[in-house]
Amino acid sequence: MFFLDHIWLIPLLPAFGAAVMFFFGRRLQKATVDAVCVGAIVIAFLFACFTVVEYTHLAHGTGQTTLRENCLYVAG
């Protein structure tokens, strides 16, 4: 239950991207800031997707799953 135990990271990742943009946006290259901000959003989205999959498995009584099983469940 890694994703459910660390669900608090989902809102924290975009906040981290925003903080990087706010504090270091003018000092870093635009491409670097874009990569950090977009990357934080993408990672938070994927984390949220895996959290939903893990919760669905838990709610249906299949128990704890591995990351590989989560990827296979999302993919097909």
Side-chain angles (χ1 to χ4, degrees):
M1 293 196 320
F2 175 80
F3 295 105
L4 288 174
D5 291 339
H6 297 91
I7 198 168
W8 53 272
L9 288 173
I10 295 172
L12 199 64
L13 288 168
F16 169 73
V20 167
M21 186 171 51
F22 181 75
F23 290 114
F24 303 109
R26 292 187 185 251
R27 294 183 203 148
L28 298 174
Q29 294 177 353
K30 183 174 175 7
T32 305
V33 174
D34 292 345
V36 169
C37 293
V38 172
I41 298 297
V42 168
I43 291 171
F45 174 74
L46 291 174
F47 200 95
C49 290
F50 284 122
T51 302
V52 168
V53 170
E54 190 171 89
Y55 181 76
T56 304
H57 282 293
L58 190 67
H60 288 292
T62 59
Q64 209 168 4
T65 61
T66 64
L67 179 61
R68 181 177 180 271
E69 290 171 345
N70 285 344
C71 291
L72 292 175
Y73 181 76
V74 169

